[in-house]
Amino acid sequence: MSHAIKFFLNGQKHEASVRPDMTVLDWLRNAPRLTGTKEGCAEGDCGACSVLIGDPAGDSVHYHAANSCILAMGQIDGRSLITVEGLKTETLHPVQVAMAENGSSQCGFCTPGIVISLAGLAANNAAADDHAIHDALAGNLCRCTGYRPIVEAARKVVGAGGAAIAGPHIAAFAEMKPQTTLSSGGSIYHQPSTLAELVQLRKDRPDALLLGGGTDLGVALADYHSDWDEVISLAHVAELRAIGESDNHLSFGAAVTWEEVLARVAEFYPSFATLIRRFGSTQIRSMGTIGGNIGTASPIGDGPPALIALGADVELASLNGRRFVALEDFFLDYRKTELRADEVIASVSIPKPKPEQEFRVYKISKRYDQDISTVCGAFSITREDGQVRSARIAFGGMAAIPRRAVEAEHALVGSQFDAKAVEACAAAITASFKPLSDWRGTSDYRLQVAGNLVERFWRDVAGETVEVMAL
Ligand SMILES: Cc1cc2nc3c(=O)[nH]c(=O)nc-3n(C[C@H](O)[C@H](O)[C@H](O)COP(=O)(O)OP(=O)(O)OC[C@H]3O[C@@H](n4cnc5c(N)ncnc54)[C@H](O)[C@@H]3O)c2cc1C
Ligand code: FES
Ligand code: FES
């Protein structure tokens, strides 16, 4: 039996009887022929395909931009989808007016995506500053106009108090809940709503794909036209969407997005927040989840080094119960993890800062925004009377897995965190890693960078450096 996908399209109720693994971009351009949404890179990088996705949040609807090229149709079931055509009501959207008046478009290919990203910003953040504008645009590539006229147009709208999205009223969502199962054309898409349902499905359907935000899996879907014949979506599992806090810990359900993690960790670990702001783009952070970043087990994922240095644990759940594993022990070998076939990552728990703890994480990549790390180094120390009591250091991009640098930590513990200790720590890093050479950086480069980051951490803690961010 076929179960159509139900959602709001530009404010109107809509049903689509298509395979849930068809990309939203393909559907938009081929079925309703809403061709304002463009295809550029087809892998989440350029923003030409940006659309707005809306979900109920309290008594209003919250919108964020997403890349429709890596978004599956199943992922919009029960939600509001706004394309560039839907921004215009009787008049143009204020972002469209500002872009036109400001000469912010030349060939126009990127313009629908840029308008969508700025409309998302204007809907959420009436008091946005240049940093927020920069963040909103980091996932949108413009090759010919240049960003100055685009940023100037953005300032006019956000400076004038923002602008709401003309989507469905919150009350309309009462009849638009995500459905338990979607199916069409031989593809089945399960949407459990509790952890108990999820682990049962995981047991019963061992070959089904576990889908978080799909920002990793969606690239294969779009690039290699892979088929998802059976999917278990994590997006509506209440326990996996929860954010908790106790006296000593913060906890994030595995399906919490990076944008939501950012909002919560900024107060406790500002350096982690700076890293997360450089994680993909607003579109990627609004869909990609903390559990997916761990589940994908990439050696160059940005979350794991920071989380390992902070001493995070992952909670793994199955029908047999739950177990907790230190994140540093979760990664076994290249893309091999502790996760058993019947388990899911349920949550991640991060200790809150201790007195006199210093934490910094550094992402070294070729571009500031929207780039993959060549090396990511995370450093955490606690001190008493100037002496280092404990140290945790972890790197991404230096081995087949995100790895803790235990030997380097020993060089700091007991020291006064002085130049000699920093030199010994850097030497221990060089001696204990054998990174690969690839097109992002040679093995020697990676070793040198990782060693240099110890000095940067030392100087940061001493207050000698400033965070550089280009606009
Ligand atoms: C343009 C672009 C930019 C990116 N930039 C960055 C970046 O700067 N830094 C970075 O680290 N990554 C980046 N990524 C990669 C990706 O966004 C992240 O890894 C993200 O956190 C993945 O989360 P997801 O929910 O989208 O994962 P998905 O694609 O849904 O899943 C990824 C893998 O994890 C598994 N999985 C998901 N959730 C669970 C769970 N709860 N339990 C068990 N397994 C699970 C899935 O089965 C799959 O194998 C980028 C990706 C793109 C396309
Ligand atoms: S087409 Fe480039 S991000 Fe989707
Ligand atoms: S206007 Fe041509 S790519 Fe932006």
Side-chain angles (χ1 to χ4, degrees), residues 69-90:
C69 65
I70 56 170
L71 189 66
M73 285 296 288
Q75 291 180 272
I76 59 166
D77 181 59
R79 307 174 87 182
S80 169
L81 170 67
I82 304 279
T83 68
V84 70
E85 291 87 350
L87 285 182
K88 179 172 166 289
T89 49
E90 275 151 35

Side-chain angles (χ1 to χ4, degrees), residues 105-111 141-145:
S105 174
Q106 288 188 31
C107 80
F109 190 79
C110 70
T111 308
L141 183 68
C142 176
R143 284 176 182 270
C144 52
T145 303

Side-chain angles (χ1 to χ4, degrees), residues 25 38-50 66-70 109 139 283-284 370:
L25 177 63
K38 305 297 179 199
E39 175 164 354
C41 64
E43 53 180 32
D45 267 316
C46 75
C49 65
S50 298
N67 301 115
S68 63
C69 65
I70 56 170
F109 190 79
Q283 289 92 323
I284 295 294
Q370 185 70 312

